[in-house]
Amino acid sequence: MPNTSRRVRKNLRLNQAKLDRARRILGTETETETVEQALDLVAFRAEVTTGVRRLAGSKTLRDPFAGG
């Protein structure tokens, strides 16, 4: 996801253990990069969820376990 927004300075109070864990999982080098990637993942999850809900509502999904 391209970063087209301007960067702003923020002062956040975060749980360090959660930040360290996310950094290890994401393989990021800086805490800023970790937070940015985590925010990108939240936005991506919302897009995927919306797409799946639309697809499911369109009746184009077939239940492989349904009889018939």
Side-chain angles (χ1 to χ4, degrees), residues 41-59:
L41 287 170
V42 170
F44 177 71
R45 181 179 67 182
E47 292 174 15
V48 169
T49 300
T50 298
V52 168
R53 285 185 178 148
R54 284 184 185 157
L55 186 59
S58 70
K59 307 290 187 207

Side-chain angles (χ1 to χ4, degrees), residues 31-47:
E31 291 179 347
T32 297
E33 185 181 6
T34 302
V35 172
E36 287 180 348
Q37 279 200 26
L39 293 172
D40 286 343
L41 287 170
V42 170
F44 177 71
R45 181 179 67 182
E47 292 174 15

Side-chain angles (χ1 to χ4, degrees), residues 15-39:
N15 178 304
Q16 189 64 50
K18 287 182 182 182
L19 186 58
D20 291 343
R21 181 170 184 237
R23 191 171 170 187
R24 281 192 306 275
I25 291 168
L26 294 170
T28 52
E29 293 187 19
T30 66
E31 291 179 347
T32 297
E33 185 181 6
T34 302
V35 172
E36 287 180 348
Q37 279 200 26
L39 293 172

Side-chain angles (χ1 to χ4, degrees), residues 10-16 18-19:
K10 297 289 180 185
N11 182 14
L12 303 172
R13 296 173 58 89
L14 302 172
N15 178 304
Q16 189 64 50
K18 287 182 182 182
L19 186 58

